[in-house]
Amino acid sequence: MALTKNSKVLEFVEESAQLGQPDKIVWIDGSAKQIAALKEEAVKSGELIKLNEQLLPDCYLHRTKVNDVARVEDRTFICTKNRDDAGPNNYWMDPRQAYELANEIARGSMKGRTMYVIPYSMGVVGSSFAKIGIEVTDSIYVVLNMNIMTRVGKQCLDALGKDGDFIKGFHAKCNVDADKRYIMHFPEDNTIISVNSAYGGNVLLGKKCFALRIASYLGKNEGWMAEHMLILGVTYPDGEKKYVAAAFPSACGKTNLAMLIPPKHYLEKGYKIETVGDDIAWIRRGEDGRLWAVNPENGFFGVAPGTNEHSNYNALKSTKRGTIFTNVALNTDNMTVWWEGLSKELPEHCIDWTGKPWDPAKFDKKDKSTCAAHPNSRFTAPATNCPCVSPEFDSKRGVPLSAIIFGGRRASTTPLVYEARDWNHGVFIGSAMSSETTAAATGATGVLRHDPMAMKPFTGYHMGDYFAHWIEMGEKVTNPPKIFNVNWFRCDKDGNFMWPGFGDNMRVLEWILKRCENKADAVETPIGFVPRAEDIDLTDLDYEIKKGKKFAIDDLKEILEIDADKWLKEADEIEGYYKNSIKDRIPQELWDCLETLKNNCSAVKKPAKKSTDKND
Ligand code: OXD
Ligand code: MN
């Protein structure tokens, strides 16, 4: 029975049913009883495998088709009337053609199936940040994941009232045919259509499709920002709290940074990190002139491989109940899950992510095809499971940002950390970000590509206009956060990571926050402000870069060094990207920053010089 009298919702559901022609329509009210019944049904049909109730209560494993394991950027379209509005950063399709194509593919595809109607909210219902979506889908897996990742149920329809507007999402699994897979966005119609996939990033329409692609477009028009950012809170020994948002590309450690456990001596002093979000931030101007952020999601859709007690204790803990695992391995000895990096010992009896018995003797960590879990296997875990979830997680007004951090995977050139000279320079740094590709999207991994603000796959409009929107936001806030760039991934000549990362990133966070309060020194370099090695706390740091080579202050000096020649090349590269990829919509402010970078590098040509006073 319909759960609302909102005529627009009823019309959307009716139209979707006419298209998909399901046997049955079920409205998701979000009640524990309904969700439990759906889990039972999915276990019966084999869509989910129930895991060990003692060790992993209320946890399930799902396997996707082998052709459907990641986001598909080349099949993801922004469908605007004017092609230029989608920008060179997106694949574009004419909206009329896109609707026709989607209708043709989806027509009758739900015959014999149930269509579920999921009313959900991105953000806490009742918050001025929150926005409501309705997703219709023929997948129980989608319903159950959406129920973890968003706030689902009747309260969302109540918030809409009789004629409130919402984001329409239509998902049909069809035959999971990769050649007919389309993830289409119609920002001018607040509509998303996804066909022929059942992988999270393509089908949990509240996440990338709504909370980033559609929301970034809404944010540009309404004066706010939707960003691919984690949000974390740092509590100081005296109880004071500061908040930071950080944009790293997919599978580059946002979840790890958001949940980090500081080194022992910080814990002993009373420092604490709390997680507000691990993937998406919606950011608005506050009346106090600062930027305020919320995490519109309600759970974590995290990358499983590499997650273990040491790398991310809090994420692992978050997966211990009420979690859906996708494409990890099944340990048949105790009906639990396993993935590469979970433990050093390999389990003896596993079924791999494709459903076949796995032979640990054949495992070679350099050969992905021998892995038990898919490199982009995931856990969908409720945020409330997380031991370090912030008390502000459910806050309606969000948290004020002291700093914004950009970062990518760069084996060389980019130092461990540096600070922008001002907001516009920070926007330039974000716009010029590049990073090595990961398994989160289909295609080759490890290829360096431009990924401005980690939003390359998620900006729902022209990237040049997106940069201009960032510049404008800076003009409107009187007390903007300071902007930084980090690179945890600098390598030595043999390819070993030079910085330990994980919990030790706290040492860099501390410098960043001190800079925000004018309490730390820095050196002015051609690219911005860089700490001196002595400004980063190395107390008790114990890291082996490679066998027999322990991390020492000289290594820190090396990864803080700015090589002006390399940066001149980088500047040329950025210029090429601006000219060839974004073309004529790059704001003048960014051209000016590029010019300054070039001039600075040409003037120096070796590591820099001038020391700034902490109070200047
Ligand atoms: C994600 C991604 O799933 O960025 O968060 O791919
Ligand atoms: Mn992401």
Side-chain angles (χ1 to χ4, degrees):
M1 203 186 65
L3 295 181
T4 180
K5 292 204 164 67
N6 183 308
S7 55
K8 294 174 197 164
V9 175
L10 294 174
E11 209 174 288
F12 170 58
V13 172
E14 174 59 31
E15 275 172 13
S16 303
Q18 272 177 21
L19 178 62
Q21 299 165 30
D23 284 10
K24 209 163 82 174
I25 300 177
V26 170
W27 288 71
I28 300 300
D29 61 17
S31 65
K33 189 167 156 216
Q34 186 186 43
I35 295 298
L38 286 172
K39 285 176 181 165
E40 214 179 295
E41 194 179 329
V43 170
K44 269 199 201 125
S45 72
E47 197 170 348
L48 293 183
I49 295 169
K50 172 97 182 88
L51 298 170
N52 185 317
E53 184 59 23
Q54 267 73 47
L55 299 173
L56 292 170
D58 195 24
C59 290
Y60 298 84
L61 168 65
H62 171 78
R63 296 189 191 111
T64 65
K65 269 195 157 185
V66 293
N67 74 8
D68 190 31
V69 292
R71 285 184 291 98
V72 278
E73 294 182 4
D74 57 345
R75 307 206 65 94
T76 298
F77 292 84
I78 299 294
C79 310
T80 43
K81 285 193 199 94
N82 176 356
R83 182 183 200 134
D84 276 355
D85 292 342
N89 43 301
N90 284 305
Y91 290 93
W92 174 85
M93 208 186 284
D94 172 69
R96 250 196 340 210
Q97 185 198 339
Y99 281 124
E100 260 170 40
L101 178 61
N103 287 351
E104 198 182 295
I105 293 171
R107 190 164 297 119
S109 67
M110 294 182 182
K111 275 185 192 155
R113 296 179 181 172
T114 300
M115 184 178 90
Y116 301 94
V117 182
I118 315 170
Y120 67 96
S121 176
M122 299 312 293
V124 182
V125 180
S127 151
S128 55
F129 281 87
K131 295 207 176 278
I132 307 285
I134 308 286
E135 176 165 354
V136 298
T137 176
D138 55 355
S139 157
I140 295 186
Y141 171 77
V142 168
V143 175
L144 297 175
N145 275 271
M146 284 292 284
N147 187 53
I148 297 172
M149 293 305 297
T150 72
R151 294 157 171 96
V152 164
K154 185 151 181 335
Q155 74 279 16
C156 305
L157 292 168
D158 295 344
L160 272 186
K162 275 216 178 91
D163 60 0
D165 286 316
F166 58 95
I167 306 296
K168 297 174 192 167
F170 177 93
H171 167 244
K173 263 191 307 196
C174 306
N175 302 317
V176 197
D177 176 350
D179 294 330
K180 292 190 178 154
R181 183 168 299 152
Y182 291 96
I183 321 298
M184 296 163 164
H185 305 72
F186 303 83
E188 288 148 355
D189 301 344
N190 284 336
T191 297
I192 304 155
I193 299 179
S194 165
V195 287
N196 273 305
S197 174
Y199 165 76
N202 301 328
V203 298
L204 308 180
L205 301 185
K207 193 173 176 64
K208 303 299 183 183
C209 301
F210 174 176
L212 287 177
R213 296 193 191 100
I214 297 283
S216 60
Y217 175 85
L218 292 175
K220 177 186 71 121
N221 293 333
E222 296 170 2
W224 55 282
M225 304 161 95
E227 299 298 331
H228 193 201
M229 290 179 179
L230 67 93
I231 310 166
L232 64 80
V234 181
T235 308
Y236 286 71
D238 65 1
E240 201 192 351
K241 291 191 186 211
K242 298 276 178 207
Y243 295 92
V244 165
F248 307 156
S250 308
C252 286
K254 283 195 296 303
T255 308
N256 290 342
L257 185 66
M259 298 181 188
L260 81 71
I261 299 182
K264 197 158 151 261
H265 74 288
Y266 283 95
L267 293 173
E268 283 167 0
K269 279 191 233 162
Y271 282 94
K272 199 162 67 177
I273 297 288
E274 286 168 340
T275 311
V276 181
D278 80 328
D279 195 43
I280 297 176
W282 282 1
I283 303 174
R284 286 180 183 268
R285 281 178 291 145
E287 275 165 19
D288 59 358
R290 292 187 289 179
L291 285 180
W292 288 68
V294 297
N295 167 16
E297 301 193 278
N298 203 25
F300 308 119
F301 184 61
V303 178
T307 307
N308 61 49
E309 254 184 47
H310 307 288
S311 65
N312 196 336
Y313 168 86
N314 290 313
L316 194 62
K317 266 281 195 201
S318 306
T319 67
K320 294 296 180 192
R321 62 172 57 240
T323 293
I324 299 173
F325 297 92
T326 302
N327 291 341
V328 300
L330 175 66
N331 183 339
T332 46
D333 283 336
N334 57 6
M335 288 303 278
T336 60
V337 285
W338 192 80
W339 51 76
E340 281 65 26
L342 177 60
S343 58
K344 282 216 175 86
E345 319 70 55
L346 308 182
E348 270 176 51
H349 302 112
C350 260
I351 306 283
D352 73 13
W353 70 274
T354 68
K356 296 198 191 78
W358 181 67
D359 183 354
K362 291 198 181 131
F363 174 61
D364 166 6
K365 71 175 178 219
K366 288 196 197 106
D367 177 359
K368 296 275 183 245
S369 71
T370 65
C371 287
H374 187 274
N376 190 37
S377 53
R378 300 281 179 146
F379 53 79
T380 316
T384 46
N385 278 1
C386 180
C388 62
V389 70
S390 166
E392 297 297 322
F393 175 75
D394 272 328
S395 155
K396 288 190 176 154
R397 62 178 197 153
V399 295
L401 296 179
S402 297
I404 286 179
I405 305 175
F406 294 121
R409 236 173 231 274
R410 294 294 305 265
S412 76
T413 313
T414 311
L416 177 65
V417 58
Y418 68 106
E419 179 191 334
R421 287 183 295 273
D422 54 33
W423 177 270
N424 285 354
H425 181 222
V427 177
F428 168 73
I429 291 170
S431 78
M433 254 168 79
S434 26
S435 187
E436 290 155 28
T437 50
T438 67
T442 52
T445 58
V447 178
L448 193 64
R449 74 162 183 183
H450 282 276
D451 191 352
M453 283 87 169
M455 283 287 279
K456 154 93 184 68
F458 308 122
T459 305
Y461 61 102
H462 196 296
M463 193 58 93
D465 294 347
Y466 169 75
F467 295 160
H469 180 49
W470 265 83
I471 302 269
E472 263 167 45
M473 287 297 293
E475 282 160 6
K476 286 183 191 151
V477 283
T478 49
N479 192 4
K482 287 197 175 218
I483 300 182
F484 298 81
N485 192 89
V486 297
N487 176 21
W488 314 136
F489 300 94
R490 270 285 277 263
C491 291
D492 67 9
K493 60 179 184 349
D494 305 317
N496 302 299
F497 290 121
M498 292 187 70
W499 176 250
F502 302 105
D504 288 306
N505 291 336
M506 178 70 199
R507 303 171 191 273
V508 176
L509 267 185
E510 186 191 23
W511 179 79
I512 286 176
L513 285 170
K514 278 189 176 164
R515 285 295 292 172
C516 295
E517 294 173 62
N518 279 328
K519 286 185 183 155
D521 282 340
V523 178
E524 189 173 358
T525 78
I527 68 166
F529 296 109
V530 175
R532 296 171 309 174
E534 307 76 64
D535 298 328
I536 304 274
D537 179 356
L538 293 184
T539 308
D540 296 337
L541 181 79
D542 185 17
Y543 173 59
E544 203 169 56
I545 296 177
K546 60 182 168 196
K547 221 169 174 43
K549 166 94 175 74
K550 286 249 176 174
F551 184 91
I553 188 131
D554 282 345
D555 299 301
L556 182 56
K557 285 186 181 150
E558 190 175 332
I559 58 178
L560 289 173
E561 209 166 84
I562 311 303
D563 181 327
D565 282 329
K566 282 193 181 151
W567 275 94
L568 265 178
K569 280 203 195 98
E570 183 88 3
D572 283 345
E573 227 286 308
I574 298 165
E575 182 169 355
Y577 170 65
Y578 278 6
K579 280 193 177 146
N580 303 326
S581 299
I582 312 294
K583 304 197 175 114
D584 51 346
R585 294 205 203 181
I586 295 281
Q588 186 54 43
E589 290 84 345
L590 301 190
W591 284 119
D592 294 346
C593 288
L594 179 60
E595 196 56 27
T596 309
L597 175 64
K598 282 187 178 174
N599 292 340
N600 287 353
C601 291
S602 307
V604 184
K605 289 278 203 147
K606 55 167 128 69
K609 353 74 331 137
K610 193 175 113 198
S611 194
T612 60
D613 189 70
K614 55 182 155 232
N615 294 319
D616 66 3

